[in-house]
Amino acid sequence: MSNDKLSRLKKTNKIKSINMKTYFLIMLLIGQLAFTTKSFSQNIAINGTGVLPDESAMLDVSSTTKGFLTPRMTTAQQNAILLPTLGLLVFNTTDNVFKVNTSNNPAIPAWTPLLGSGGAVSSVNGLTAAVQTFATGNTGADFNISSTGFTHTLNMPDASVTTRGVVTTGLQTFSGAKTWNHTGTFLAGITAMGGTINLNTDATANGVNIGTSTNTGAVTIGGTGTQTISIGNGLAAKTVNIGSSATTSTTTILSGSGGIMINNANNQPTSIGTGTSTGAVTIGGTGIQSINLGTGATGIKTIGIGTGAAANIISIGSATGAASLSQRVGTGNFSLDGAGGSIYSIGASTTSGTITIGGTAQTGAITIGSSSGPQTLNLGTGGGVSTVIIGDNLNATSGTTLIGGSTTINGAFNYGRSINTDDSYVVTLNPAPTSYTTGMLIILDANSNNSGSCTLNVNNLGIRNILKGGSNPPKNAINANGICILIYDGTSFQLISQ
């Protein structure tokens, strides 16, 4: 083929190639316009159905098989965008969240994660991490939240004198006034360091119970220092119950080596055991104790014991043991003053024992029944055998017993029946004297006549001569089954009468 033909053929093929490219471009444009895109002056719709764009959208993209793909970049690439405008949207591949610029100043962008885009809220207490955690702690002097890194810590310190916080199971010390409006149980106790604990100070009628559970243990009020403990010292009438009123338990009040003072101020009455229920009120224990009632230095004291309207039994001292009870009145008087025909009984129980009025060391007058009205003084008038001792016959020292007016003695008075069969008379008195004393009177019930000189032995205290007028009595001066009166003169018994 000649060169001329070859040149014409290449030219023809080039024209055909240009025509084919133009054809494909035209067809592509037509297809694009007819099949996928409808363009108007204000908005654009991109879809596969030919649906017009929504009037409110500049760009309306719709599909049921494909998604909308936004620019994807790292945090470094995001931060390198030059002057990002407000609302610029990217997908941050470092945090795997959509981020939008929320700053109105393009020079200082604020890339904020979108809510619900797989991350956390935009900022929690200053933290913007996609994943944030919460923890608890106990640092600080008050409740607080500290946020560092991606962790928020709620600090709840233990409550103390200077810290507001949580009440724990350990040892704690609080400050400031506290008010409990409901029932509280304190298993380990309450300690007030220099302050005051007020129980039930409101105006309502609520009860305050201390140590009322069924568990055993010690309830201690007051410490080792000098303290004033006030119970029920308000202006209104108070009922203070110590111990159980429903059971037979025993309540013991111990004062150590000190004293217990009841009502040592103001003119208020002090009542012990004034309730209507039955029971024993015991003051004093088994050891050696001093129990003082009304021992103030000044002022006249009126102490009422068993002053209720019902019959009362007052036991002072031990009713069963061998303990002694001494009642002392100093230099004053001890008066038993009955009103309205009252009867005072001393030693009226059925038990045996000795009742002694007047001691061995004190001097003074013991007066029984000294009022101006008519009185009946009964000594040893019970149904049993009674021994009444007036004066001091148990010691060697002498004493004087004065009995004024008419005196009636029911029973034996130094009376004894002799048990001898000759002139040596022997008698046994009950109660038994401990020694012969001058002036001792013996009523002798002889069981035989004397034959002349004779003797008397009283309770084996020793044999003493019986004289009449300073000489031996004559024969038959003492008659069998006769009563004679003998008085001891310090050496011998003088026969007074037959």
Side-chain angles (χ1 to χ4, degrees), residues 206-356:
N206 295 320
V208 176
N209 299 319
I210 300 177
T212 57
S213 67
T214 57
N215 299 325
T216 59
V219 177
T220 302
I221 301 177
T224 57
T226 301
Q227 295 174 311
T228 299
I229 300 174
S230 300
I231 301 177
N233 62 342
L235 297 178
K238 302 293 187 302
T239 299
V240 179
N241 296 322
I242 301 177
S244 174
S245 61
T247 63
T248 57
S249 62
T250 301
T251 301
T252 302
I253 301 177
L254 303 177
S255 64
S257 58
I260 297 177
M261 304 180 69
I262 301 177
N263 189 24
N264 64 336
N266 301 326
N267 297 322
Q268 303 295 333
T270 300
S271 300
I272 300 177
T274 57
T276 58
S277 59
T278 60
V281 178
T282 302
I283 301 176
T286 59
I288 299 176
Q289 296 173 311
S290 295
I291 300 174
N292 300 319
L293 299 177
T295 57
T298 59
I300 298 174
K301 306 296 186 298
T302 299
I303 301 174
I305 301 177
T307 57
N312 298 306
I313 297 177
I314 301 174
S315 299
I316 301 177
S318 176
T320 58
S324 299
L325 172 66
S326 298
Q327 293 180 337
R328 301 176 181 178
V329 295
T331 59
N333 297 324
F334 181 80
S335 300
L336 296 177
D337 184 9
S342 299
I343 298 176
Y344 286 98
S345 299
I346 300 176
S349 64
T350 58
T351 58
S352 59
T354 301
I355 299 173
T356 303

Side-chain angles (χ1 to χ4, degrees), residues 18-294:
I18 292 174
N19 291 336
M20 290 297 295
K21 290 181 179 180
T22 301
Y23 173 79
F24 283 117
L25 288 175
I26 292 172
M27 292 301 294
L28 180 61
L29 179 59
I30 293 173
Q32 182 73 17
L33 293 176
F35 182 71
T36 62
T37 306
K38 291 187 181 291
S39 176
F40 296 89
S41 60
Q42 294 297 327
N43 47 13
I44 299 174
I46 301 176
N47 53 65
T49 61
V51 178
L52 295 177
D54 190 278
E55 293 295 334
S56 64
M58 288 297 297
L59 177 63
D60 185 350
V61 180
S62 62
S63 174
T64 59
T65 58
K66 297 180 181 180
F68 177 76
L69 188 60
T70 61
R72 304 167 303 284
M73 61 190 69
T74 64
T75 299
Q77 292 170 339
Q78 165 198 287
N79 294 337
I81 296 175
L82 183 62
L83 300 177
T85 187
L86 176 66
L88 186 64
L89 178 66
V90 298
F91 183 80
N92 188 305
T93 58
T94 302
D95 297 332
N96 287 327
V97 294
F98 284 101
K99 290 192 176 182
V100 61
N101 181 24
T102 58
S103 173
N104 288 315
N105 186 356
I108 308 175
W111 294 101
T112 304
L114 292 180
L115 293 175
S117 62
V121 294
S122 61
S123 176
V124 177
N125 203 26
L127 301 185
T128 59
V131 178
Q132 301 184 25
T133 60
F134 295 87
T136 59
N138 60 358
T139 60
D142 202 345
F143 295 99
N144 65 89
I145 297 177
S146 61
S147 300
T148 304
F150 55 85
T151 302
H152 305 279
T153 301
L154 172 61
N155 289 300
M156 298 178 290
D158 296 345
S160 66
V161 175
T162 58
T163 301
R164 184 176 67 170
V166 179
V167 177
T168 68
T169 58
L171 179 64
Q172 290 177 281
T173 302
F174 302 130
S175 65
K178 302 294 185 291
T179 301
W180 276 270
N181 293 325
H182 299 282
T183 302
T185 301
F186 300 92
L187 299 179
I190 302 177
T191 301
M193 304 298 292
T196 301
I197 297 178
N198 296 319
L199 302 177
N200 191 21
T201 59
D202 62 359
T204 58
N206 295 320
V208 176
N209 299 319
I210 300 177
T212 57
S213 67
T214 57
N215 299 325
T216 59
V219 177
T220 302
I221 301 177
T224 57
T226 301
Q227 295 174 311
T228 299
I229 300 174
S230 300
I231 301 177
N233 62 342
L235 297 178
K238 302 293 187 302
T239 299
V240 179
N241 296 322
I242 301 177
S244 174
S245 61
T247 63
T248 57
S249 62
T250 301
T251 301
T252 302
I253 301 177
L254 303 177
S255 64
S257 58
I260 297 177
M261 304 180 69
I262 301 177
N263 189 24
N264 64 336
N266 301 326
N267 297 322
Q268 303 295 333
T270 300
S271 300
I272 300 177
T274 57
T276 58
S277 59
T278 60
V281 178
T282 302
I283 301 176
T286 59
I288 299 176
Q289 296 173 311
S290 295
I291 300 174
N292 300 319
L293 299 177

Side-chain angles (χ1 to χ4, degrees), residues 415-454:
Y415 167 84
R417 172 73 175 178
S418 65
I419 58 175
N420 61 298
T421 57
D422 51 22
D423 290 332
S424 298
Y425 297 98
V426 176
V427 297
T428 300
L429 302 182
N430 186 21
T434 58
S435 64
Y436 292 123
T437 57
T438 302
M440 176 185 289
L441 184 145
I442 302 296
I443 299 176
L444 175 64
D445 184 357
N447 63 346
S448 62
N449 295 342
N450 72 306
S451 60
S453 62
C454 54

